[in-house]
Amino acid sequence: TAMGNRQFVGVLDPFGKLQRFRMNGNTVCATYRIMGTGFYNMSLKSDTVGPGMLFYETDPPRKCPLFHPLCNLPPEAANDNNFVNTLKVGSKMFAVTDSPKLLEIHPETLQVQEMHKFEDDLEEGLSFSASAHPLKAPFSQDWIDFVTNANMLTGKAKVALFRLRQDDPRRREKMAEIDYET
């Protein structure tokens, strides 16, 4: 995969793609769309692979200026090209990743509508991991997942198990919490 004069090297680095299938008898209707993320839009605008974290650097490599060595990190880079799963919560569809962000996706057009952060207090200190693979609760339509927080000063961390309710898709409800030493 290429953009302008640069080729992606890592198999997981190219732009995200969404797909939707509908079956009607012997007919399959399929829709595919490149995810309109900040990373993709910045790349389109500059006609080359834009700023952002990649597993493997492009060929030819992107270069940060000498006095701005973190040009591939926020706020210069969107770093939103890592959404790996979709889930329907209530009437909304979201793409999720291993971070505390989610993209709202229009279920028919597959257009990225908006990036959201969760509207709750489950993140504290350094929130370094979440799961992009929530599970359906066995007796409801809610989703169950976790987020991990670390306190770099104390060396302690917490894993919070949460529920994502159908009627409030941007607010996680803590179900349990485990403390541990890092």
Side-chain angles (χ1 to χ4, degrees), residues 104-178:
E104 188 172 341
I105 307 291
H106 189 281
E108 292 298 316
T109 66
L110 302 180
Q111 294 282 0
V112 172
Q113 304 221 274
E114 188 176 356
M115 182 182 295
H116 299 286
K117 285 189 168 190
F118 287 107
E119 298 171 350
D120 55 44
D121 61 356
L122 286 186
E123 296 160 40
E124 50 189 66
L126 176 63
S127 180
F128 64 88
S129 178
S131 167
H133 306 282
L135 300 174
K136 280 277 191 177
F139 300 106
S140 72
Q141 292 299 307
D142 298 338
W143 293 93
I144 307 294
D145 210 344
F146 71 89
V147 63
T148 305
N149 298 295
N151 185 319
M152 302 309 266
L153 298 175
T154 65
K156 296 186 179 195
K158 295 179 182 183
V159 176
L161 186 69
F162 66 85
R163 174 190 323 265
L164 195 59
R165 295 188 178 277
Q166 294 292 314
D167 60 350
D168 198 0
R170 290 190 291 171
R171 187 170 315 279
R172 299 168 294 183
E173 178 184 304
K174 188 187 307 181
M175 299 170 62
E177 187 172 74
I178 301 167

Side-chain angles (χ1 to χ4, degrees), residues 61-135:
R62 303 166 302 158
K63 301 281 186 198
C64 286
L66 179 63
F67 296 105
H68 188 33
L70 302 179
C71 70
N72 286 315
L73 298 175
E76 283 76 22
N79 285 318
D80 61 354
N81 195 46
N82 56 346
F83 290 85
V84 298
N85 200 357
T86 56
L87 54 134
K88 187 174 181 194
V89 185
S91 63
K92 298 187 179 276
M93 188 168 99
F94 295 99
V96 294
T97 184
D98 295 326
S99 78
K101 296 179 182 175
L102 60 162
L103 290 178
E104 188 172 341
I105 307 291
H106 189 281
E108 292 298 316
T109 66
L110 302 180
Q111 294 282 0
V112 172
Q113 304 221 274
E114 188 176 356
M115 182 182 295
H116 299 286
K117 285 189 168 190
F118 287 107
E119 298 171 350
D120 55 44
D121 61 356
L122 286 186
E123 296 160 40
E124 50 189 66
L126 176 63
S127 180
F128 64 88
S129 178
S131 167
H133 306 282
L135 300 174

